[in-house]
């Protein structure tokens, strides 16, 4: 439900560096406009310690271990509209841009 912010429930599996000791926040992409499909995704910053937000277990990895993968849980967690990154509906574009930049930086490193 989106009204002046986001209230969400449920898990987010395999979140990279989500709320790890590296920083005190995580970014979450959530569906804010279900009828718009991929154009209905928006990105939010969620600080560790937000009521209703908790971090679960760390995933075990075989290969790439430099970035933790964790489970994130949301139990009636309210995230204010001011925590939105960019404009509503830009989440997919932001995800794809981040992946592209990461690939360009990791590729040359071998």
């Amino acid at each position: 439900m989106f009204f002046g912010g986001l209230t969400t429930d449920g898990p987010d599996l395999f979140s990279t560096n989500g709320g790890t000791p590296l920083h005190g926040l995580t970014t979450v992409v959530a569906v804010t406009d279900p009828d718009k499909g991929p154009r209905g995704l928006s990105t939010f910053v969620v600080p560790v310690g937000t009521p209703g937000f908790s971090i679960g277990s760390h995933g075990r990895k075989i290969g790439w271990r430099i970035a933790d993968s964790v489970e994130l849980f949301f139990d009636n967690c309210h995230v204010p509209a001011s925590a939105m990154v960019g404009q509503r509906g830009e989440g997919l574009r932001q995800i794809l841009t981040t992946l592209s930049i990461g690939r360009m930086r990791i590729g040359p490193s071998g």
Side-chain angles (χ1 to χ4, degrees):
M1 178 188 308
F2 187 88
F3 181 76
L6 175 74
T7 300
T8 187
D9 286 299
D12 177 7
L13 301 177
F14 310 116
S15 177
T16 303
N17 285 334
T20 63
L22 296 174
H23 45 76
L25 53 90
T26 190
T27 53
V28 176
V29 178
V31 176
T32 52
D33 294 301
D35 297 335
K36 293 186 178 180
R39 288 191 166 85
L41 300 174
S42 300
T43 305
F44 295 85
V45 174
V46 182
V48 172
T50 299
F53 170 59
S54 61
I55 300 167
S57 62
H58 291 255
R60 291 184 58 196
K61 294 184 175 183
I62 295 172
W64 187 259
R65 295 182 185 168
I66 195 166
D68 285 334
S69 291
V70 297
E71 295 176 297
L72 304 178
F73 294 98
F74 301 90
D75 182 23
N76 200 29
C77 178
H78 179 74
V79 181
S82 61
M84 187 181 294
V85 178
Q87 299 296 313
R88 187 172 174 166
E90 291 184 343
L92 179 63
R93 182 187 60 76
Q94 293 166 337
I95 292 168
L96 296 176
T97 299
T98 300
L99 287 172
S100 294
I101 291 169
R103 287 179 181 144
M104 286 186 287
R105 291 184 178 167
I106 292 171
S109 68

